[in-house]
């Protein structure tokens, strides 16, 4: 499926555009898409769509919208789950997710100095956009935050693309576009700086300095502040015509992948790795995911996770790794103890169901805290050798994941305890 929200809402099955019905029905689909693979209770949906003054018939209307959508969408796309609905979304089904994945790839290339690759990825990311996000549903309250976030991300992606182009020496062509962007976003200092640099490199030094003064006026008038240090330093550099402002020599970069898997190159597994990396993109964008990887001994579960960890590390993610111990004598929650070490909450020894719940909640809080400052990849390996409670804890954590910048990857053989339950909590199961 190809769902599109970067413009008016659309759903395509192959080439065929699906009829999505009236405003209410489209809103239901949009809401389920924004919460892809999450269960939303009927009450929450009614609340999001109608707010305080939901009519008594709202529940019925919702039910009708869902049945009408089900007639159009592939079977089982909208599942009924205990008093609510969940829409199944594969990692690349939604244009927003494709955009964010390509944006992350472009940014990673920008960081390694591979500007041509960055430009390619960022252009592909921006090509996902057809107009203002969810433009036909922008009056709905529930779309506001996401529309705002996406518009911000769109400008930031444009800035990144321009940075790549500046590095590649495209300053002449960039000037008109930058002038239009600065008019549209007068307070974005990065765009102002990019315009100054493009003008300077195009041999238009006086106009570059004018652009600085215009930026300063706008910031003082609107916000009452002086330009930031980067912009002030750029002005000085332009006045002094420092050589560092010229387009640098192309830096051919041997991209080194830090991480554990440096020994032998990975063979095959591109599809599996692609799925996991899409999950990583989601996690980096603040939408946590759980992936389960199942395979017999020696099928390459650990190797696959190693490869993912190496990519994640290159993208600034903290890596935590714990594994089950089959040799006997391991204390309860051993994989978690290994992964979290000193950060493991002390309530681990609390007795009874209530004590266990408190411990689960404390672990979840620890993860929330950790992911607030840095995205996280948590690998729990060899779960076939873990205690059942460790898997139960993982299921508990999974329900809270969508709000965290964390990718959790659970590896186990087919005989892992509670595997079916765990898979139900996962965004995706990868079978090796
Ligand atoms: N895709 C792969 N490319 C190269 N080597 C691999 C690949 N998958 C597994 N291996 C190698 O095969 C062996 C077993 O893989 P491993 O990840 O340990 O399996 P398991 O997940 O069952 O523990 C290791 O030596 C590993 O490096
Ligand atoms: Mg292994």
């Amino acid at each position: 499926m190809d769902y599109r929200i970067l413009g008016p809402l659309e759903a395509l099955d192959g080439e065929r555009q699906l009829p999505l019905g009236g405003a209410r029905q489209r809103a239901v689909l949009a809401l389920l898409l924004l919460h892809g693979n999450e269960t939303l209770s009927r009450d929450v949906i009614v609340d999001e769509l109608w707010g305080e003054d939901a009519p008594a018939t709202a529940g019925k209307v919702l039910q009708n919208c869902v049945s009408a959508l089900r007639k159009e969408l592939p079977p089982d796309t909208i599942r009924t789950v205990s008093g609510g609905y969940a829409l199944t979304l594969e990692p690349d089904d939604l244009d927003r997710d494709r955009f964010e994945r390509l944006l992350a790839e472009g940014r990673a290339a920008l960081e390694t100095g591979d500007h041509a690759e960055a430009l390619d990825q960022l252009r592909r990311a921006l090509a996902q956009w057809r107009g203002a996000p969810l433009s036909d549903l922008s009056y709905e309250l529930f779309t506001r935050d996401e529309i705002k976030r996406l518009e911000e991300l769109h400008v930031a992606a444009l800035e990144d693309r321009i940075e790549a182009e500046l590095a590649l020496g495209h300053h002449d062509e960039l000037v008109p576009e930058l002038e239009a962007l600065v008019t549209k976003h007068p307070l974005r200092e990065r765009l102002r700086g990019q315009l100054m640099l493009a003008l300077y490199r195009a041999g238009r030094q006086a106009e570059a300095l004018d652009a600085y003064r215009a930026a300063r006026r706008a910031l003082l008038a609107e916000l009452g502040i002086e330009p930031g240090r980067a912009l002030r330093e750029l002005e000085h550099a332009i006045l002094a015509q420092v050589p560092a402002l010229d387009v640098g020599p192309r830096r051919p970069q041997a991209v080194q992948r830090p991480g554990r898997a440096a020994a032998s190159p990975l063979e095959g597994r591109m599809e599996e790795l692609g799925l996991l990396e899409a999950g990583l993109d989601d996690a980096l964008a603040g939408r946590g995911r759980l992936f389960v990887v199942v395979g017999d001994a020696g099928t390459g579960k650990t190797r696959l996770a190693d490869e993912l960890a190496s990519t994640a590390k290159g993208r600034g993610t903290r890596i935590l790794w714990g594994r089950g111990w089959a040799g006997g004598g391991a204390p309860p929650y051993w994989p978690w103890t290994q992964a979290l070490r000193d950060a493991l909450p002390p309530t681990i020894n609390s007795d009874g169901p209530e004590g266990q719940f408190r411990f689960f909640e404390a672990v979840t809080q620890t993860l929330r805290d950790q992911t607030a400052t840095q995205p996280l990849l948590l690998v729990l390996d060899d779960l076939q050798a873990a205690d059942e409670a460790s898997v139960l804890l993982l299921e508990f954590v999974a329900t809270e994941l969508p709000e965290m910048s964390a990718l959790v990857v659970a590896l186990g053989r087919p005989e892992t305890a509670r595997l079916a339950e765990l898979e139900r909590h996962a965004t995706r199961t990868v079978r090796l």
Side-chain angles (χ1 to χ4, degrees):
M1 277 300 293
D2 178 1
Y3 300 104
R4 301 179 179 179
I5 63 169
L6 303 178
L9 177 68
E10 288 179 355
L12 284 87
D13 190 354
E15 295 289 293
R16 195 171 69 90
Q17 184 141 353
L18 305 181
L20 297 177
R24 248 328 122 208
Q25 197 175 310
R26 302 168 74 84
V28 171
L29 177 60
L31 182 65
L32 290 171
L33 282 171
L34 292 183
H35 296 270
N37 297 319
E38 287 170 43
T39 301
L40 291 183
S41 73
R42 289 192 189 90
D43 288 348
V44 166
I45 299 178
V46 166
D47 204 45
E48 292 277 13
L49 292 184
W50 282 273
E52 303 267 282
D53 35 45
T57 52
K60 189 72 201 152
V61 175
L62 169 61
Q63 218 175 343
N64 290 340
C65 288
V66 169
S67 340
L69 286 168
R70 277 179 171 155
K71 290 206 180 81
E72 296 300 335
L73 298 169
D76 298 326
T77 303
I78 302 181
R79 286 166 295 137
T80 304
V81 195
S82 57
Y85 299 109
L87 186 143
T88 305
L89 205 55
E90 300 293 332
D92 256 359
D93 277 357
L94 184 59
D95 59 355
R96 172 198 67 185
D97 298 342
R98 296 191 290 271
F99 165 67
E100 292 194 41
R101 176 174 62 76
L102 292 161
L103 176 59
E105 278 165 22
R107 286 179 169 171
L110 210 52
E111 270 171 36
T112 60
D114 189 347
H115 298 118
E117 168 72 10
L119 179 56
D120 186 41
Q121 300 289 358
L122 292 165
R123 278 205 173 124
R124 288 169 55 198
L126 289 161
Q128 300 293 323
W129 285 71
R130 296 168 294 121
L134 287 171
S135 52
D136 52 335
L137 294 164
S138 55
Y139 51 85
E140 296 279 354
L141 269 180
F142 76 85
T143 61
R144 283 201 192 157
D145 287 350
E146 181 66 355
I147 287 178
K148 210 168 144 218
R149 186 184 76 87
L150 288 169
E151 282 175 339
E152 165 67 34
L153 218 49
H154 185 235
V155 191
L158 281 170
E159 291 170 340
D160 288 335
R161 198 212 82 225
I162 289 168
E163 184 176 324
E165 291 213 55
L166 279 169
L168 292 166
H170 301 176
H171 35 264
D172 287 317
E173 306 95 281
L174 285 173
V175 169
E177 184 187 4
L178 276 166
E179 278 169 341
L181 282 169
V182 156
T183 307
K184 200 164 163 205
H185 307 281
L187 302 178
R188 289 191 79 101
E189 295 191 43
R190 191 170 167 208
L191 286 173
R192 295 276 190 179
Q194 290 178 327
L195 175 59
M196 288 161 63
L197 193 59
L199 285 167
Y200 176 79
R201 285 184 179 166
R204 298 158 67 176
Q205 189 189 1
E207 286 166 85
L209 293 168
D210 277 347
Y212 175 77
R213 284 189 285 274
R216 180 164 180 269
R217 271 197 306 279
L219 288 165
L220 278 170
E222 291 294 318
L223 307 173
I225 56 168
E226 288 286 336
R229 193 158 94 199
L231 219 56
R232 292 200 311 269
E233 285 178 359
L234 182 57
E235 188 217 11
H236 289 147
I238 288 174
L239 279 166
Q241 305 193 3
V242 303
L245 288 182
D246 299 333
V247 184
R250 304 273 162 84
R251 274 183 293 165
Q253 290 268 335
V255 180
Q256 226 191 355
R257 318 235 298 168
R260 300 150 45 105
S264 64
L266 186 76
E267 291 166 29
R269 296 283 181 231
M270 292 327 283
E271 197 184 329
E272 291 86 353
L273 194 60
L275 286 170
L276 293 171
E277 287 183 345
L280 179 65
D281 289 338
D282 283 342
L284 288 168
R287 296 187 302 275
R289 299 285 184 243
L290 167 67
F291 281 71
V292 174
V293 181
V294 185
D296 286 314
T299 45
K301 301 181 291 297
T302 305
R303 185 67 181 78
L304 185 64
D306 257 335
E307 194 68 23
L308 177 71
S310 139
T311 305
K313 197 168 165 193
R315 295 174 61 184
T317 306
R318 185 205 313 260
I319 319 282
L320 297 180
W321 199 294
R323 49 166 47 92
W325 167 247
Y333 303 110
W334 180 239
W336 290 93
T337 311
Q338 282 186 312
L340 294 176
R341 296 179 196 273
D342 298 342
L344 194 77
T347 38
I348 186 164
N349 292 321
S350 307
D351 284 338
E354 208 195 315
Q356 187 179 53
F357 180 91
R358 270 206 306 277
F359 173 62
F360 283 11
E361 180 46 41
V363 170
T364 309
Q365 190 56 45
T366 303
L367 292 173
R368 263 189 221 113
D369 293 345
Q370 293 211 355
T371 52
T373 49
Q374 192 185 359
L376 174 72
L377 169 65
L378 169 62
V379 181
L380 296 172
D381 199 351
D382 287 325
L383 283 182
Q384 74 282 349
D387 52 331
E388 254 190 72
S390 283
V391 181
L392 195 62
L393 170 53
L394 187 49
E395 290 165 41
F396 184 95
V397 166
T399 60
E400 299 295 316
L401 266 182
E403 307 297 325
M404 294 183 222
S405 281
L407 173 61
V408 180
V409 181
L411 316 178
R413 296 186 196 156
E415 66 268 26
T416 300
R418 302 191 61 85
L419 185 58
E421 287 86 348
L422 188 62
E423 284 186 42
R424 273 204 284 283
H425 285 87
T427 304
R428 185 81 193 216
T429 296
V430 178
R431 289 178 208 286
L432 300 188

